[in-house]
Amino acid sequence: MGMQSVSQLDEREIRTTFGSFPTGVTALCTQGPSGPDGMAASAFTGVSLEPPLVSVCVQKSSTTWPRLRSRHKLGVSILASGQEAACRSLSARSGDRFVNLAWTASETGAVFLNGAVAWLDCRMHAELDAGDHVIVLLEIERLETTADTAPLVFHRSRFRSLLEPERAA
């Protein structure tokens, strides 16, 4: 198998290896003082049923996360296949990230992208130090899921779609 020691690897090789695992793509959004604010994140997973928790990993260098974490509520939208442009917009380093995005705000201030696979209305539960990232645990207070909507998948630095296996005749 010829494994290399981590000390022999560079950041590019580690990133390439991490990218071999397909992930979904989420939007973390809230109502800020001057309108909606948010970011895209692919390091997301369900954690616990009791209490209902999800996690997302955020780079410590993010300039968006400090603004989001200061809000009471966060909306998590699990993006659907076809929402690549929304992901790119929410990943932009400057400009209005919500231009041309259809979104809805809850009465709590959480912001959700229309057309997503699922929406989770969350509050901060905990943050854990994790190297150059922070693992954010969010407690789900309300949620909604659509039926028969395929998720947006990120794999090897590209957006992908899931294909339904052909049914046996």
Side-chain angles (χ1 to χ4, degrees), residues 86-143:
C87 180
R88 284 188 188 95
S89 184
L90 289 171
S91 299
R93 296 206 182 269
S94 62
D96 181 356
R97 292 181 177 175
F98 285 82
V99 92
N100 298 322
L101 295 185
W103 55 275
T104 304
S106 72
E107 64 280 354
T108 64
V111 171
F112 306 99
L113 295 188
N114 298 355
V117 171
W119 303 271
L120 296 81
D121 194 332
C122 300
R123 68 177 181 82
M124 285 287 298
H125 182 78
E127 283 183 282
L128 308 166
D129 184 62
D132 60 1
H133 279 63
V134 175
I135 300 170
V136 179
L137 294 176
L138 300 171
E139 185 167 349
I140 303 167
E141 294 187 336
R142 297 181 315 154
L143 57 80

Side-chain angles (χ1 to χ4, degrees), residues 23-39:
T23 63
V25 184
T26 62
L28 307 175
C29 305
T30 191
Q31 206 43 283
S34 57
D37 197 2
M39 63 189 287

Side-chain angles (χ1 to χ4, degrees), residues 145-157:
T145 305
T146 60
D148 300 324
T149 302
L152 182 61
V153 177
F154 194 68
H155 179 243
R156 296 196 175 172
S157 300

